[in-house]
Amino acid sequence: MTDTAFTFPTGGVITYHGAADADAYDDSLNAQWLRTALDHILTGGPAIADTEPIGCTIKWTP
């Protein structure tokens, strides 16, 4: 599973890119990193630093 979240508020500038939370398999975290990023956007706060998405890279070979 590769879970990567992006936020694009009005203006089309990415304000968050990364994992939804610290552990994709722990439902109790409830996407906390993404929720915090969205709260910042909704309140006019600064962009959140990117986090490392969890999962595998998608590779293609000819």
Side-chain angles (χ1 to χ4, degrees):
M1 174 172 68
T2 301
D3 63 337
T4 302
F6 296 89
T7 58
F8 293 91
T10 304
V13 176
I14 296 174
T15 55
Y16 181 77
H17 167 236
D21 55 44
D23 184 346
Y25 301 104
D26 184 350
D27 292 337
S28 71
L29 295 177
N30 205 20
Q32 189 58 50
W33 291 352
L34 179 57
R35 289 176 182 272
T36 299
L38 293 172
D39 286 344
H40 278 252
I41 292 166
L42 294 172
T43 60
I48 305 282
D50 292 348
T51 61
E52 187 67 33
I54 300 167
C56 64
T57 59
I58 299 171
K59 296 178 177 74
W60 180 81
T61 55

